[in-house]
Amino acid sequence: MVELRDATQADAHAIAIVLVRSWRAAYRGLLPDDVLDGLSVPDREQFWSDVLTTRPPHTRAVVATIEGTVVGFAATGPPLVQADRADPDLGDLYALYLAPDVWRRGIGTQLHAAALDRLRSCGFTRAGLWVLDTNERALRFYLRRGWTDTGRSQLDRGPGGVELHERRLRRDLSD
């Protein structure tokens, strides 16, 4: 049985583990192996501990647990890209990751719905997200859930300075 709840600072370590495991599985073949192998749970834990401690306005994080163990998480908030910040009705899905051993069990769908609910609770009426343009699994997941491609793209920098070519997706939050 999956339970969803708001993340706390005490979840930072578990979130970091899920993130590193998910990246290593989902992005193998899409990003260099040395970048994936070099991902650091302590670094990610520190990042999430800071985020969950400071909680900038209108940011939310939700975790999915099975028998008390965090198996996935999603994070939302105001857009991080300057070009999108001018729109007060637009919120972003920053992250949605699951431990690879629970993929394809419907947990991602539950987390996605909870993340959209968090955006709505902050007053956002539309949502955006950035997705690695070669991540076909994620693109299929989002497109099946009502997201559409905006035609925008960006080059972001990931761990180790690796280039992340990303596409912008959007969806209305009224449905």
Side-chain angles (χ1 to χ4, degrees):
M1 171 106 162
V2 176
E3 293 185 26
L4 301 176
R5 63 171 172 77
D6 290 328
T8 68
Q9 185 183 12
D11 295 314
H13 182 73
I15 288 171
I17 290 170
V18 166
L19 182 112
V20 168
R21 289 184 61 219
S22 183
W23 267 58
R24 286 180 177 159
Y27 299 151
R28 189 72 62 189
L30 304 179
L31 298 178
D33 286 348
D34 63 320
V35 169
L36 297 173
D37 295 340
L39 292 173
S40 163
V41 169
D43 288 349
R44 296 291 83 208
E45 180 178 359
Q46 184 61 57
F47 172 84
W48 284 101
S49 179
D50 292 347
V51 167
L52 294 168
T53 299
T54 59
R55 291 209 190 256
H58 303 296
T59 61
R60 303 287 185 269
V62 59
V63 292
T65 65
I66 297 176
E67 296 180 5
T69 300
V70 173
V71 297
F73 74 97
T76 60
L80 300 175
V81 173
Q82 188 64 39
D84 297 318
R85 286 189 195 152
D87 184 348
D89 297 323
L90 180 64
D92 270 11
L93 174 58
Y94 300 145
L96 193 159
Y97 291 103
L98 293 172
D101 53 319
V102 300
W103 287 356
R104 303 195 59 78
R105 292 192 193 174
I107 299 169
T109 298
Q110 292 176 57
L111 265 175
H112 178 262
L116 297 187
D117 285 345
R118 272 32 178 212
L119 286 168
R120 287 181 195 100
S121 75
C122 290
F124 298 116
T125 59
R126 288 179 290 107
L129 66 82
W130 291 100
V131 61
L132 191 65
D133 67 2
T134 54
N135 189 344
E136 292 299 325
R137 173 185 278 132
L139 285 164
R140 282 191 308 271
F141 176 88
Y142 291 120
L143 294 174
R144 281 193 310 258
R145 283 155 187 82
W147 294 83
T148 58
D149 195 327
T150 66
R152 288 177 54 205
S153 63
Q154 73 173 4
L155 178 62
D156 199 4
R157 294 286 176 184
V162 67
E163 291 184 350
L164 303 175
H165 297 268
E166 298 173 328
R167 290 166 53 181
R168 183 73 166 161
L169 304 182
R170 66 176 168 84
R171 69 162 282 161
D172 188 78
L173 291 175
S174 62
D175 49 347

